Amino acid sequence: MITRSRRNRRAALAAPLALALAAGLMACAGGGGSSEKVTDLTLIAANSPWTEGLKDLATEYEDETGVKVNLEFYGNEQLNDTLKVKLNAQSSDFDIYGYQVQDIMREFSRNGWLADMTDYVESDADWNWDDFQESSRDAVTLDGVVYGVPVMTERHIMYYRADLLEAAGIPVPTTLDELDAAAAKLNDPTNGFYGIAMRGAKVPLVTQFSSFLYSYGGDFQDEDGNATVDTPEAKDAYAFYGKLLKDYGPPGATNMGWPEASAIFAQGNAAFYLDADSQAYTFLDPASSAVVDTVAYGAFPEGPAGSHPYSIVPQTVGINEYSKKKDAAWEFIKWVTNEENSKTLLADDTVPSARDSSWADDAATASFPAGLVEIVRNSEGTVGHDRPQLEKVAQAREIVGAPAISAIEGGDVDSAADKANTDFQDLLDGEK
Amino acid sequence: MTTTSHPSYLAPKRRRGSGLTTWADRHIKWLFTAPAIVFVALLIIFPIAYTVFLSFTDSASSVTRPFSFVGFENYGKWLGDFERFWPAVGRTAYFTITALVIELVLGLAIALLLRKTFRGQSIVRVFILLPLVATPVAVGMMWLLIFEPSIGFANVLMKSLGLPAQLWLSGTDTALNTIVFIDVWQWTPMVILILLAGLSTLPEEPDEAARVDGANAWQRFRHITLPLLMPTLAAAAILRSIDAMKTFDIIYATKGRTGGSNNEAETLNMLAYNESFGNSQYGSAAALLMLFLMFIIIILTALTILRSKGHRA
Amino acid sequence: MTATAQRPTRSPAATARVSPPAPRRRKKRLLGPTLRTIAIVVVVLLFVLPLGWMLMAAFKTNLDIVTPSRTFDFTPTLDNFGTVFGAQDFAPFIVNSVVVGVGATIVALVLGVPAAYGIARYRIRNATAFVLLARVIPGVSLLIPWYFLFSQVQLVGTYTALILTHIFVTMPLVVAIMAGFFEGLPEELEEAAQIDGSSRVGAFVRVVLPLALPGVATSAILAFIFSWNNFLFALVLSNQETRTLPVAISNFTSYASVDWGGLMAASVIITVPVMLVALFAQRYVVAGLTAGATKG
């Protein structure tokens, strides 16, 4: 089976490579090479399940094409710093980079740091750009220009303790009000047990707050891109998010990102944990989790406006505009994101693919927790962004996160939201 | 020693000999110092000039994007910013002074304690280095977990001692002091090490003489050891104050990019980092960095002046 | 200037004189050492205990690390160390850090010790200030210009770039410590050596350096540690082949998971080479004392 799949891949490779590199390929396989021939590429990215899977694929690619792909992986924040330093200096030291599309695409594309990939993705019908989920394709497109290929997807879900709900006779919450009631009932802080764990630190919480905001009928911005975090819906959403953490959350919630919050749930000290589905594997690993047998997954509960969790592309792969090997870079991206490799990554490394074909394949999704696959397949009502959409995302997150902190600390949410809206609008105006 | 065989009037003649040695001797002042100075200059001139240049522009997003000169606008913006800038100045000053004073006092006490030889001395000295050696990122992560209010060991310890649980790093009011504690834990060893080296070369006679004269331990420390140790102590103080003002790793690892949800641990260096690599506001960040640099230089100059005044007195 | 006024040692011969212990000291010796031993033990524990937590964590699963009830009560596992040397393959990073650390330390000493001597003896205050500027300047303002410079001369990703930038961190440290140290050394020693016919440079090498050995050893240890722990410069100036440990350690944080155990195991391993260097250098901190006494 392995050999067969390899042969298929090689066949898929042959045609485009021959086109792009002409006759050079054969000659170079033996070690020689004209100046045109690309023998190595460098890819930098933040650690993720995708980069784990990439290690094997890069070796395979080198075996098949003779092109060595150097991989440099960093922590999430370290990647951001590295990219900004190198690209400000117009570095051509790397050709391909993985990035968080919502944080980076606007700013980087306007800086001229991301190559236009529109022609590339449409160049090959067999590779099938249309197989990528529409929301994912939208996510990597700005003003009609494609800046990357999505390699991972992520949704907001509700992790809960099936055993505790059952013991207490509580049905799985399907609305935010039910979630509130269930968390209240199970909350037992004197024994160090909490109704709910979620991110409570100002900047990290923004993305997880987004689904609450949408499900209350709000958003960070309206269709014209103006700030809307002072609407009644937004204020209610802030108040609700804050109330959950204030009343049923662990102490010190305002300092919590996902590492702390998920640790509390993993060691069995919280009934609910609402965060990205990409953390599911942590809870299924006995070395990291005391809730392996008792964790269950639920769809994001309905708010007054229905259930509208985010469904986003956390990892995208693009080409450095300063790279001198763009065509070769594209060849690698195209190969590594083709249907077959996307399935392999989903099956072997649990990389949540952005291709519909991957999710349609039961063999590929077999390693994925069953409850999750259902949630992924049913993408109705989801929202394609989980943070404000502008160039200065980092500043905007600080601003729109602040009212949630007021809510968690029991402060005046309304005035905090009003102030946030003014500041956010100023920031948006500055970009016009 | 053969001092007596050479009358001192011979000395100048000898120094004025000939050859390479003489040339080296005559220029020793610059021969010794120039390489270090040139090295620093080579690496620092371009970045400083560049930062100064950027600080007068509105460069943002990318330094390669078009930008315009805005004069002192960036500086004005920061100096008039009472929401983020001045609180950060206050926190930086509070953090630096608190940490520095505790570290110097504690470091001096422990250095004196470890001064005289004892069995296992070298092992103890190496053990004491441990907090310095552990990688800052890992140390940050370690304290983050230890001080986590619900799953950390710190509160388990408090409870077992019958003390109330604390929010530590998570509390708006307690975060900065907790970071001071971590800084003291991590950096006092450096002060100890520097002072031990200084103590090891102090002459013993004055101390012995005073002892014979009946001076008690405090008197001997106050009037003999401390003055002799002053240059070393000053070196430790200067190094630590510079590093404390620039503290970054621990705050970033435990409080995130914004120094906490209420910016409760945001120091100047954190703010500058956030403005630059978080917000990509390179012009404004450059102005902040220049202000920060000037602050440090002013404080160090003040310290140096105070020190030399102290000597003259 | 400095402490000259208070310095009672007028002749170098005086330093060599070893006074017999005064009789009064004997009485105190009964109680003193016990108290002192207790104090030393307490101090050591305070510094070491938090790292005991780290050491235990290195032998725990991620779950045990975040479960307070298993702080002491856990089944040790070697898995984390397997990760460090297996999946993460830390060995090359250790080599990189050693190469850069040793290189940066040696050059910093060669440049810094004479500079400190010049500064201390000729009272070039401005030079100290200038060299210290290297330590004062926030790293954030250096990154982009440096990356630009080093990529112009094709040095990005090389040991050379890393060592050069680490010297920038370590040399001011050496200068600051050694300048303070030289100020504390009696000038009479060198004067005597010069009168004996030695050149100034010769006096520095033969008389001053041996006396300054504790200071040199101390600044060497600290310089090595600062290079070893430098994160910011190595982050942007190294590549996969030359990556140093502090950068590599960020590999334990992934997109949706943190490998606490692997991180702690890596941290424990990282400290070992530095402890060896420190143990080695410490001998000279003590040796310097005796060397100084005999030279006088």
Side-chain angles (χ1 to χ4, degrees):
Chain A
M1 171 144 176
I2 290 165
T3 30
R4 196 183 307 144
S5 76
R6 282 198 168 220
R7 199 167 297 136
N8 287 347
R9 258 181 219 148
R10 197 169 297 149
L13 266 170
L17 274 184
L19 273 174
L21 307 171
L25 181 65
M26 288 305 161
C28 294
S34 68
S35 57
E36 299 285 307
K37 173 75 174 92
V38 172
T39 54
D40 68 302
L41 291 166
T42 302
L43 179 152
I44 67 180
N47 294 308
S48 72
W50 182 69
T51 57
E52 279 306 303
L54 211 54
K55 289 175 184 166
D56 289 338
L57 288 178
T59 317
E60 201 176 312
Y61 190 73
E62 188 181 357
D63 290 347
E64 292 185 12
T65 65
V67 177
K68 179 168 169 49
V69 183
N70 302 306
L71 304 173
E72 285 182 26
F73 300 143
Y74 297 88
N76 237 345
E77 284 140 344
Q78 288 78 37
L79 177 75
N80 173 61
D81 299 356
T82 310
L83 285 178
K84 283 187 173 171
V85 169
K86 295 190 172 180
L87 291 167
N88 263 311
Q90 307 187 41
S91 168
S92 57
D93 286 352
F94 61 98
D95 309 290
I96 306 168
Y97 58 109
Y99 60 91
Q100 210 306 340
V101 69
Q102 295 183 77
D103 277 341
I104 277 178
M105 186 172 63
R106 262 162 232 273
E107 183 180 346
F108 279 29
S109 64
R110 288 174 192 163
N111 288 348
W113 291 351
L114 278 167
D116 179 345
M117 291 172 71
T118 318
D119 292 340
Y120 284 135
V121 297
E122 282 160 8
S123 64
D124 188 345
D126 287 344
W127 179 71
N128 198 1
W129 178 228
D130 291 336
D131 183 33
F132 287 84
Q133 297 159 359
E134 193 183 348
S135 60
S136 302
R137 276 180 283 138
D138 285 349
V140 297
T141 310
L142 184 67
D143 303 328
V145 179
V146 176
Y147 289 107
V149 176
V151 292
M152 273 175 74
T153 60
E154 186 177 75
R155 288 138 296 266
H156 202 179
I157 62 164
M158 176 179 73
Y159 298 92
Y160 63 91
R161 288 283 298 280
D163 55 332
L164 297 178
L165 287 185
E166 203 180 290
I170 305 170
V172 179
T174 56
T175 68
L176 289 176
D177 287 339
E178 287 171 22
L179 173 68
D180 180 89
K185 198 163 176 189
L186 294 169
N187 191 37
D188 184 13
T190 45
N191 287 315
F193 187 87
Y194 305 97
I196 194 163
M198 294 193 298
R199 301 185 197 182
K202 185 165 68 175
V203 172
L205 71 74
V206 169
T207 53
Q208 311 309 306
F209 166 69
S210 71
S211 301
F212 288 83
L213 182 61
Y214 310 149
S215 300
Y216 263 83
D219 201 334
F220 297 108
Q221 288 148 273
D222 61 18
E223 281 174 4
D224 302 325
N226 290 314
T228 54
V229 292
D230 65 344
T231 60
E233 293 84 5
K235 285 175 178 171
D236 287 348
Y238 277 126
F240 182 77
Y241 194 90
K243 175 184 184 285
L244 282 182
L245 281 175
K246 177 161 65 80
D247 294 348
Y248 326 121
T254 53
N255 205 43
M256 262 185 208
W258 62 262
E260 298 95 334
S262 72
I264 290 173
F265 185 77
Q267 53 135 303
N269 280 351
F272 291 95
Y273 175 57
L274 274 70
D275 211 291
D277 60 356
S278 42
Q279 288 162 38
Y281 287 92
T282 308
F283 302 131
L284 293 177
D285 172 10
S288 299
S289 161
V291 296
V292 175
D293 301 320
T294 52
V295 62
Y297 318 94
F300 190 84
E302 285 174 26
S307 169
H308 297 293
Y310 65 74
S311 171
I312 55 140
V313 175
Q315 293 292 316
T316 300
V317 59
I319 300 176
N320 176 7
E321 177 66 23
Y322 301 115
S323 164
K324 296 183 178 79
K325 308 165 185 170
K326 290 203 191 78
D327 287 338
W330 165 246
E331 288 307 323
F332 177 71
I333 291 176
K334 190 168 122 179
W335 178 79
V336 86
T337 57
N338 67 23
E339 275 189 35
E340 179 148 1
N341 282 329
S342 296
K343 275 182 202 164
T344 311
L345 285 169
L346 176 58
D348 296 353
D349 298 283
T350 63
V351 180
S353 164
R355 279 181 177 270
D356 283 327
S357 59
S358 310
W359 293 101
D361 186 335
D362 286 333
T365 59
S367 64
F368 229 65
L372 268 184
V373 176
E374 292 314 309
I375 295 171
V376 175
R377 283 178 180 162
N378 176 20
S379 61
E380 214 172 307
T382 57
V383 179
H385 58 273
D386 64 357
R387 62 201 78 186
Q389 296 172 284
L390 74 168
E391 261 189 56
K392 295 175 185 137
V393 186
Q395 274 160 294
R397 283 180 77 155
E398 281 191 50
I399 293 170
V400 302
I405 298 302
S406 298
I408 297 169
E409 290 174 343
D412 183 352
V413 182
D414 284 4
S415 64
D418 289 337
K419 182 181 183 304
N421 203 65
T422 313
D423 292 349
F424 184 27
Q425 188 60 47
D426 285 348
L427 196 64
L428 288 163
D429 289 341
E431 281 186 18
K432 277 178 184 164
Chain B
M1 284 307 299
T2 47
T3 322
T4 43
S5 62
H6 294 277
S8 59
Y9 59 81
L10 278 179
K13 255 184 199 167
R14 287 203 172 257
R15 282 194 194 133
R16 269 186 224 115
S18 60
L20 189 65
T21 338
T22 327
W23 179 86
D25 266 21
R26 203 176 305 147
H27 299 280
I28 188 167
K29 181 176 168 184
W30 294 111
L31 190 69
F32 272 23
T33 46
I37 291 170
V38 169
F39 176 85
V40 172
L42 279 178
L43 279 175
I44 211 172
I45 283 173
F46 176 54
I48 287 193
Y50 186 71
T51 309
V52 171
F53 167 77
L54 275 183
S55 74
F56 294 112
T57 71
D58 63 356
S59 173
S61 293
S62 161
V63 294
T64 55
R65 276 206 208 183
F67 52 80
S68 40
F69 287 91
V70 294
F72 283 90
E73 201 177 284
N74 291 323
Y75 291 92
K77 186 198 103 180
W78 287 117
L79 293 173
D81 179 355
F82 292 90
E83 209 172 308
R84 294 290 277 270
F85 177 75
W86 287 108
V89 172
R91 276 181 222 112
T92 309
Y94 172 81
F95 177 84
T96 307
I97 292 166
T98 320
L100 186 68
V101 168
I102 300 176
E103 281 160 25
L104 288 181
V105 171
L106 213 57
L108 187 57
I110 297 172
L112 289 171
L113 180 71
L114 301 179
R115 181 187 185 184
K116 299 256 163 54
T117 45
F118 57 92
R119 259 173 63 198
Q121 171 173 258
S122 48
I123 289 295
V124 164
R125 286 185 177 190
V126 170
F127 268 161
I128 279 190
L129 274 180
L130 272 167
L132 266 183
V133 174
T135 316
V137 180
V139 167
M141 300 282 243
M142 174 185 91
W143 287 112
L144 185 66
L145 282 182
I146 291 181
F147 280 130
E148 217 295 320
S150 52
I151 55 175
F153 181 67
N155 275 345
V156 173
L157 194 66
M158 294 295 277
K159 277 176 207 157
S160 70
L161 294 174
L163 297 166
Q166 299 290 321
L167 285 177
W168 307 110
L169 289 165
S170 303
T172 307
D173 304 326
T174 52
L176 199 58
N177 284 328
T178 312
I179 297 170
V180 169
F181 168 84
I182 298 174
D183 195 81
V184 167
W185 172 80
Q186 197 178 10
W187 293 107
T188 304
M190 173 164 142
V191 178
I192 300 173
L193 196 68
I194 295 175
L195 292 183
L196 274 177
L199 282 169
S200 73
T201 46
L202 293 192
E204 284 189 31
E205 294 71 28
D207 196 54
E208 289 299 335
R211 198 196 293 274
V212 171
D213 292 346
N216 66 26
W218 169 252
Q219 287 169 326
R220 292 199 311 271
F221 165 74
R222 175 70 190 79
H223 296 287
I224 294 161
T225 312
L226 194 59
L228 286 172
L229 197 59
M230 224 40 206
T232 320
L233 196 62
I238 284 182
L239 283 173
R240 267 316 295 149
S241 53
I242 294 173
D243 289 352
M245 279 186 261
K246 288 170 61 186
T247 300
F248 180 81
D249 297 305
I250 292 291
I251 307 180
Y252 187 78
T254 56
K255 297 298 289 178
R257 186 165 58 82
T258 61
S261 289
N262 295 306
N263 309 117
E264 62 268 19
E266 186 170 70
T267 57
L268 279 174
N269 209 17
M270 290 287 292
L271 189 61
Y273 170 82
N274 189 26
E275 188 71 356
S276 162
F277 289 105
N279 300 341
S280 308
Q281 300 297 304
Y282 300 108
S284 141
L288 180 56
L289 285 164
M290 290 315 297
L291 285 172
F292 183 28
L293 196 58
M294 281 184 256
F295 272 131
I296 305 183
I297 291 172
I298 289 169
I299 291 168
L300 290 182
T301 315
L303 276 178
T304 319
I305 292 171
L306 277 177
R307 197 182 136 207
S308 47
K309 269 194 181 156
H311 277 305
R312 266 180 232 123
Chain C
M1 279 308 291
T2 71
T4 326
Q6 290 106 327
R7 195 177 290 137
T9 324
R10 279 275 153 240
S11 86
T15 39
R17 204 194 305 134
V18 180
S19 321
R24 209 167 298 171
R25 212 163 156 188
R26 287 256 155 79
K27 268 191 281 176
K28 282 194 175 170
R29 276 200 175 158
L30 295 168
L31 182 64
T34 328
L35 276 177
R36 187 158 167 260
T37 311
I38 294 170
I40 291 173
V41 169
V42 169
V43 165
V44 170
L45 285 181
L46 283 177
F47 284 115
V48 172
L49 274 187
L51 291 159
W53 186 94
M54 182 183 269
L55 186 64
M56 288 191 296
F59 292 96
K60 288 183 194 175
T61 62
N62 283 333
L63 179 62
D64 288 348
I65 291 172
V66 298
T67 310
S69 60
R70 298 202 197 145
T71 304
F72 301 105
D73 175 23
F74 62 95
T75 320
T77 164
L78 286 173
D79 288 357
N80 296 322
F81 292 92
T83 315
V84 173
F85 287 109
Q88 296 286 355
D89 194 14
F90 254 52
F93 305 135
I94 296 179
V95 173
N96 290 340
S97 273
V98 169
V99 170
V100 174
V102 168
T105 305
I106 290 175
V107 182
L109 289 177
V110 170
L111 285 177
V113 174
Y117 178 73
I119 285 168
R121 279 295 171 265
Y122 301 96
R123 321 239 187 279
I124 328 174
R125 283 247 174 265
N126 296 341
T128 331
F130 185 74
V131 172
L132 272 177
L133 191 60
R135 198 153 182 99
V136 168
I137 189 167
V140 174
S141 54
L142 298 168
L143 291 183
I144 295 173
W146 273 5
Y147 186 83
F148 181 77
L149 282 180
F150 284 113
S151 58
Q152 291 303 305
V153 289
Q154 309 263 312
L155 281 178
V156 172
T158 62
Y159 285 140
T160 313
L162 291 174
I163 293 175
L164 283 175
T165 54
H166 284 207
I167 296 167
F168 195 77
V169 179
T170 54
M171 195 196 47
L173 180 96
V174 173
V175 171
I177 295 176
M178 292 312 294
F181 207 83
F182 288 132
E183 275 182 32
L185 282 183
E187 242 168 290
E188 291 79 0
L189 292 172
E190 302 138 60
E191 279 165 14
Q194 280 161 33
I195 290 162
D196 279 349
S198 200
S199 66
R200 283 185 180 187
V201 180
F204 170 72
V205 174
R206 278 188 294 275
V207 180
V208 181
L209 267 189
L211 273 175
L213 215 51
V216 175
T218 302
S219 40
I221 295 174
L222 288 173
F224 187 77
I225 290 174
F226 275 96
S227 165
W228 191 258
N229 285 340
N230 182 282
F231 171 77
L232 210 50
F233 301 152
L235 174 68
V236 295
L237 292 171
S238 69
N239 62 16
Q240 193 64 32
E241 270 77 48
T242 51
R243 186 176 274 206
T244 57
L245 288 165
V247 183
I249 213 166
S250 67
N251 275 346
F252 290 99
T253 57
S254 184
Y255 181 67
S257 61
V258 179
D259 183 359
W260 301 107
L263 182 80
M264 295 305 160
S267 313
V268 169
I269 290 165
I270 286 177
T271 59
V272 175
V274 192
M275 298 316 283
L276 293 177
V277 169
L279 261 177
F280 172 77
Q282 278 289 3
R283 288 171 29 197
Y284 293 90
V285 175
V286 186
L289 189 61
T290 33
T294 48
K295 277 276 153 53

